[in-house]
Every structure is written in C-alpha cells, then in structure tokens.
Amino acid sequence: MDARGAAHARGLVVMLTVGLSVIACTVSVPGSGTGEGLPGWCADGTPATSTMSASARHPDGPRHDDFNGDGYSDVALPVPNTTVEHLKQVPVTELGTGYVAVLYGSASGLRASSKRLIHQNGPGIVGTAERGDGFGTSVTTADLDRDGYADLVVGSGGEDSPVDPRTNNVVFAGALTVVWGGPHGLSGSAALPSRAEPGDGVGWTVVAGDFNGDGAPDLATRIGSHDDLRLLTGPFGRDGTPAGGVHDVRGPRNAGGIRTMAAGDTNGDGITDLAAVSTGDGTVNGLVHWPGSHQGLTSGTLLTRPDGSRVDVAGTVATGDVNGDGYDDIVADDDFQYVDADGGGVAGDGDVDRYGRAHHVPNIKAGAVVYVPGGGSGPDTGHITTYNQDTPGVPGVAEEEETPDGDMMVSDDFGAALSVADIDGDGLADLAVGVPNENDDRGRVVIMRGTAHGPTGEGAQTLGEGTRGVAGAAVSGGRFGAAVRLVDTGNDGRADLLVGAPQQGKGAETRDDVSGAAWQFLSAACGVTTRNALHITPRTLSTPTGHWDWIGADFNS
C-alpha cells in the first residue's frame, strides 16, 4: 500500500498493447511511437536489482507480510473450495475443507520451491478439516504478537455452520485462526476468540490494521447480514487472546451486508480507517467508511456525494496513496455487470447511459473504477472520478457481449479485481485493474499509473494469457484477472503483480474440473514485465487438479 521509491523519468509513457510483447517492457516517447533511446535493462524488461540491505530499504521495521523475517514479502493463496484429500488425511468426499498455499519472497521474487500448504489437518494447526469449513475464505497478515515476524490470519467462513431446519439453509458462523510466523516461517497456531455464532459469518472477510493508533495490529471481520464489524483489538497473546478484547461496531442500518473490505489511513492522522463495499438496499451497492480513532473504529456511514446521492460501487475495494498527497485514496468498482438485451438494467434503472447519468458514473458501461481521493477530512466524495475502457489511454473498448441464449448482455467487468501500490518506484501508487470477462471470459489486467491528479490512462499497460511471455493458453472461461495483488516480493521498492485465473484448467470452456492458476510478474522502472514470470499451478503447489479448486481466486490482504 505504501508509496515508495525514487524519481521517475517524466514524459515517458508505458504502452503495451494486446498481442505485443510485455517482455520488452516497451516505453515510447509521446508522438514518436518507437521506444528508442531507453536504457538496455528497461528495453529488455530485466528488473533492476538493488544492492541495499533489507533493513536499509525498510528502516521502519519488519514488513506486515514477512513470515520468516528475511526482509521479503511473502504471499498466501487461499483455496477454500477444495479438499485436502490429496494428503490422504480426509475422505475424498469432504469437499470444501480448504487450504492456504504460501510462497516465500526472495531477491528474485516468489520462490516456487518454498511452497507450504496450510490446512486444518496439518501439523500444529488447530481444528479439524471438515466439509464446508472453507478454510481460507479470506486471509490477511500482520504481526499480531509483535515478535518481529508477520503472522497469517485465516478466515473459515463455513466453520461450525449448522443447517436451519426451517429453511434447510446453512447458517454460517465462521471462525478465525492465526498461524504464527517465525525465523523458519509459519508454524503453530491458535484459534482467535471471535465469539462466532450461527448467522455471524465471521471470517468471510477479514482485514488487519491499527484502528486505534496504539502501534499494535487489530483485526476486523464482518458479522451478520448488516454492515456491522467485529473488532479484535491487539496486541495478541500466543494463545490468540486480544489484549484489547472483542467488541462490535455498527454500520449503517440501510445497508445489506459487507462484501469486501480494505484498510487505509484516508485522513492522514496515523490511525487506520476502514472502507467496505456493502450490498446496499438490494438494487444498488454502496461504499461504507469507518474512521479510526484512539478509541478504535467509530460507527460506519454510507459515503454520499455533495448532492446526497450514494457512491455506487459493485463488489471490490482497495486503498492506497495514488496521488502522493499523504492520504490513502479509495478505489472501488462499479461494474453494472448484467444488462438486458434491450438495454434495460436489471435494477430497473433504464438503459446504461441513463443509469450512468443518474448515478454520476457516466463511464459505467462494461464496468468502471471509482476513484475517491483521501483528504484531511477523510474521503473526498466531491472529487470522485470514474474510469473504464473508453477512458483515453486505457487499453481496450468498453463493451458488452451477448450471452449464448441472447437474453442478456454481459460486461467485460472492468474493475472486478483491484490493487493499489507503487509499481515503477516513482513514489506514487499505481492501480492494477482486473478485467476477467474480456474476450469471452479469457480475461486481462490493465495497469494504470498514479499521478498527482489520481489514476491516468496515459501510459497504461495490459497483459493476458495471450500476451507473449505469459505461460498458459488463453482459454475461454479462464477469467485471467479475477484476482490481482500488487506486492513488493523482491524488496526493491517496486510492487510486483500477482494475477489469478481461478477458472483456468482443462475444462474451463465447460466449467468442468477447473483448478485455477496464478502468476507473478516482476516490476521494473518502466512497469510490469513478463520476463522471469512465475506460473503457479497445481503442479507448482504439488496438489492434484481438482474440481472447482479455484486457485488464484484471491490473495492475502
């Protein structure tokens, strides 16, 4: 999330188009279209390396996602839909038990050889792998016990969830587990006292942050069908007990439940705030904001524009300082994914253009990214900007595609996945945008650079499985870009790009027997490169291809 790095040569524009090589990390001077006169390392896509020590690059202390304390960020890939049968420790029928795959960072990025699978039948992990637990429905990282090593927090949204005999529906309780970091990586665990009861849905989404400004990490998870939060206030003991206790914080009553959350300091007071996408009133989703304070998170409110209209969003939210003013900004998507073939919206709001005008999102067609800058008073809803594939410079075209039966038009879903961090080291956070429905659900990712005025389409990059240097076949239905994350795994001051294609596999076209895949693309001063990219598949993780595993559906926050 943090914007770091050195100066970036202004006037250069990163332009990688569909079908061209991202290996070249081609940069063109506006008006020339040649890319000539670049340093050799940038022209051939070789990421620059740093000889600085980890402590010199990060004098503020350990990283929140460094499990083994070697100075490099590590990455967790949750796979909650699968079984752990491949280890012969539960019956094959116990689908949906879940596991989390961990890859450790290094000077050259993630190391496939360092993989570690964590599940509830593994050594030192509390609990028992049971059907429907969904171990890994969400994951986040923080040094909960403040021993200098980041810890892994795993949500199990289906843990201890009975079936309501009146409705025959599962009533989700959920659970949270911490796996402790140490000099040899993750080992040992504890159950976190989340007070989960049927209906709470604890663990479906969880994030870490210092919500009271005391220097110790806290945890927030959604509870219930409203926009309420359950806070576990740190620091944490090795038995998982939070020193500050467990309590709930209310959200707005006219909202319908939290879908995703992101933590960031939107008002620059040094205390973490929280933003979330709410399912709203059943027709239009909203953006909810809980300010942090020395007493912890205060009550959440739906963000509205100066005219009182709500800030419409869809399902994804991320935070980071895109414009470099010292305040974390909020980015969310407004995909308006399904549109009737005659142009009418499923919410009954008329055609897309009229809907866009009415809700202040003129670029909503085929999905849009909503940018809300931070400021001294928090999110500045008076200066919201939206972007889509019709925005100047952004690769692609905003379009809907007709479904096979011809009844609906399905959008590209621009913005279905979002992540914010500094890729090129210019001190401004950049934006990774997933477009998983592009080209018959083959999918793509668009990188938008950060500027003092927010994200820009100028110099945008794009890549997909059809791009030279990207391993894997561009198969219809794979949904490359359904998950993205920017994280500096090489500790060089530039965030690398992680991409997931959860429906990748031999049966992607028929949605049968798909296992999913993920990629890591290293960064250079000119942007993302496919040189030395890591392709993460079941073979990489030493797991068999499974039915609906969905590797790459998410990454840790």
Side-chain angles (χ1 to χ4, degrees):
M1 296 290 187
D2 296 331
R4 301 183 303 272
H8 179 66
R10 300 192 180 276
L12 297 181
V13 178
V14 181
M15 182 62 73
L16 291 103
T17 55
V18 178
L20 295 181
S21 171
V22 184
I23 293 178
C25 200
T26 306
V27 181
S28 61
V29 178
S32 71
T34 64
E36 296 177 351
L38 297 175
W41 65 263
C42 188
D44 66 11
T46 305
T49 58
S50 173
T51 58
M52 296 173 63
S53 67
S55 60
R57 282 192 293 273
H58 297 281
D60 296 333
R63 316 187 106 193
H64 74 89
D65 50 6
D66 179 8
F67 302 132
N68 57 6
D70 63 357
Y72 300 103
S73 289
D74 308 313
V75 170
L77 292 84
V79 189
N81 294 328
T82 192
T83 177
V84 293
E85 180 274 339
H86 59 278
L87 297 180
K88 307 302 181 185
Q89 293 169 321
V90 295
V92 69
T93 55
E94 297 300 293
L95 299 175
T97 52
Y99 68 87
V100 179
V102 174
L103 297 175
Y104 291 90
S106 72
S108 56
L110 296 178
R111 292 178 289 117
S113 61
S114 70
K115 63 180 177 293
R116 165 86 190 278
L117 301 184
I118 297 173
H119 55 84
Q120 288 180 298
N121 279 4
I125 307 302
V126 296
T128 301
E130 300 169 310
R131 183 175 184 175
D133 282 350
F135 186 78
T137 48
S138 64
V139 286
T140 192
T141 60
D143 184 5
L144 296 191
D145 57 356
R146 296 195 294 183
D147 64 351
Y149 300 96
D151 309 307
L152 177 68
V153 178
V154 182
S156 303
E159 187 80 45
D160 298 327
S161 299
V163 175
D164 187 337
R166 297 169 301 176
T167 64
N168 204 34
N169 294 327
V170 176
V171 185
F172 294 104
L176 295 173
T177 302
V178 57
V179 185
W180 302 110
H184 303 293
L186 294 167
S187 65
S189 66
L192 295 173
S194 60
R195 301 195 319 220
E197 297 179 354
D200 283 348
V202 165
W204 279 106
T205 179
V206 61
V207 296
D210 184 7
F211 302 120
N212 60 7
D214 66 352
D218 314 309
L219 295 174
T221 181
R222 57 160 269 186
I223 57 169
S225 59
H226 296 290
D227 285 346
D228 295 338
L229 300 176
R230 181 153 296 161
L231 294 183
L232 286 69
T233 304
F236 292 74
R238 291 291 289 193
D239 63 352
T241 301
V246 181
H247 66 281
D248 296 346
V249 179
R250 291 193 61 168
R253 293 299 90 189
N254 57 338
I258 295 170
R259 296 189 64 179
T260 56
M261 302 190 297
D265 184 4
T266 59
N267 59 6
D269 64 357
I271 303 175
T272 309
D273 311 310
L274 193 65
V277 172
S278 158
T279 55
D281 57 9
T283 58
V284 180
N285 293 347
L287 192 59
V288 183
H289 182 253
W290 290 264
S293 74
H294 289 295
Q295 289 72 47
L297 292 177
T298 59
S299 296
T301 58
L302 273 171
L303 293 182
T304 58
R305 299 170 185 269
D307 65 1
S309 62
R310 77 168 64 191
V311 179
D312 300 337
V313 290
T316 306
V317 64
T319 58
D321 188 5
V322 178
N323 59 9
D325 62 357
Y327 305 104
D328 279 338
D329 312 314
I330 300 173
V331 292
D333 72 314
D334 197 347
D335 62 6
F336 200 69
Q337 185 170 355
Y338 297 105
V339 181
D340 293 340
D342 62 1
V346 293
D349 290 299
D351 61 56
V352 177
D353 290 338
R354 182 156 57 85
Y355 177 92
R357 291 193 298 273
H359 295 277
H360 305 279
V361 280
N363 293 334
I364 197 171
K365 181 180 178 183
V369 171
V370 179
Y371 169 71
V372 186
S377 299
D380 182 1
T381 58
H383 292 88
I384 292 176
T385 309
T386 60
Y387 306 85
N388 75 345
Q389 287 183 292
D390 284 343
T391 299
V394 175
V397 177
E399 58 191 354
E400 289 95 13
E401 297 180 7
E402 188 172 290
T403 56
D405 56 16
D407 291 338
M408 303 286 285
M409 300 294 287
V410 184
S411 84
D412 290 338
D413 217 353
F414 181 83
L418 297 166
S419 188
V420 182
D422 185 5
I423 294 174
D424 52 15
D426 66 351
L428 303 174
D430 307 301
L431 178 60
V433 182
V435 197
N437 289 357
E438 181 83 77
N439 191 17
D440 194 21
D441 291 357
R442 288 175 173 82
R444 300 198 68 77
V445 172
V446 171
I447 302 295
M448 299 176 65
R449 295 187 304 115
T451 74
H453 303 289
T456 180
E458 181 181 2
Q461 291 181 269
T462 184
L463 70 161
E465 289 183 86
T467 303
R468 182 182 170 193
V470 178
V475 178
S476 174
R479 304 197 76 234
F480 182 93
V484 295
R485 188 186 175 214
L486 294 172
V487 57
D488 182 9
T489 59
N491 200 6
D492 60 2
R494 288 186 297 271
D496 308 310
L497 173 64
L498 297 171
V499 179
Q503 295 181 24
Q504 176 66 267
K506 65 180 181 181
E509 291 183 332
T510 60
R511 304 296 196 271
D512 183 34
D513 195 27
V514 296
S515 55
W519 291 258
Q520 181 192 37
F521 302 104
L522 301 177
S523 59
C526 60
V528 172
T529 170
T530 59
R531 186 179 180 90
N532 297 322
L534 175 64
H535 188 202
I536 303 167
T537 66
R539 177 175 294 182
T540 309
L541 302 177
S542 299
T543 61
T545 299
H547 182 69
W548 292 107
D549 280 357
W550 286 10
I551 294 171
D554 198 7
F555 303 102
N556 62 280
S557 62

